[in-house]
Amino acid sequence: MARSGAGGEWSIKATIPHTSWFEQEIAKLLETKEPVGSGLWGLPPDDRNASLYAKNHEQSLNETLFDSTESFNRLVSDFETLEDIDLSDPKRYKNMPPGWVPWQIIAQNSYDHYRHHVADISAWTSQT
């Protein structure tokens, strides 16, 4: 879990808090009904990812897995409170940028994001 290479130089353990951060950001969106997230969104993706890596690098595997479970459960719990209209109508959210569709934002930062990392990890594990 801690050996690098599962996603570039990242390990599986490094990938987990990365995806958890995105889950937490989407949970905030669903809870507040407003796209106000972390200041890390203002950074270029590589810088944002480097910041997340640095923040979580020293965390133990047990802490990483615990936090990941908490983040995922929070996201699922928030998702279960949504009405169908919350997924399609950007007007249900304060200050939603033009062109944003709620379900697409949720997907990009959860299950579509997981697929990207699962593909990297699968390719890496098949080579090792």
Side-chain angles (χ1 to χ4, degrees):
M1 295 281 287
R3 199 166 88 202
S4 64
E9 294 188 20
W10 283 14
S11 65
I12 295 170
K13 179 186 166 284
T15 303
I16 293 169
H18 166 84
T19 57
S20 294
W21 180 83
F22 284 88
E23 291 169 346
Q24 293 165 16
E25 291 295 295
I26 291 304
K28 281 189 267 185
L29 169 68
L30 299 178
E31 291 163 5
T32 64
K33 295 288 194 270
E34 186 170 12
V36 177
S38 164
L40 293 177
W41 287 111
L43 296 176
D46 288 344
D47 293 347
R48 179 177 54 238
N49 291 341
S51 178
L52 291 170
Y53 177 84
K55 177 183 175 214
N56 296 295
H57 181 67
E58 297 299 321
Q59 193 175 41
S60 73
L61 178 59
N62 284 340
E63 290 171 314
T64 297
L65 294 173
F66 178 83
D67 290 349
S68 173
T69 300
E70 292 292 309
S71 295
F72 183 78
N73 288 342
R74 177 182 173 195
L75 179 61
V76 169
S77 178
D78 290 340
F79 192 76
E80 288 174 339
T81 68
L82 296 178
E83 298 176 35
D84 288 347
I85 191 83
D86 293 326
L87 296 172
S88 60
D89 186 358
K91 292 179 184 133
R92 301 280 287 190
Y93 300 82
K94 291 189 270 184
N95 303 314
M96 182 72 79
W100 280 25
V101 179
W103 75 265
Q104 291 174 344
I105 301 305
I106 294 165
Q108 291 166 2
N109 293 284
S110 61
Y111 64 88
D112 278 348
H113 193 198
Y114 306 150
R115 288 181 194 157
H116 167 78
H117 291 291
V118 166
D120 287 346
I121 292 168
S122 294
W124 176 68
T125 56
S126 70
Q127 296 173 357
T128 56

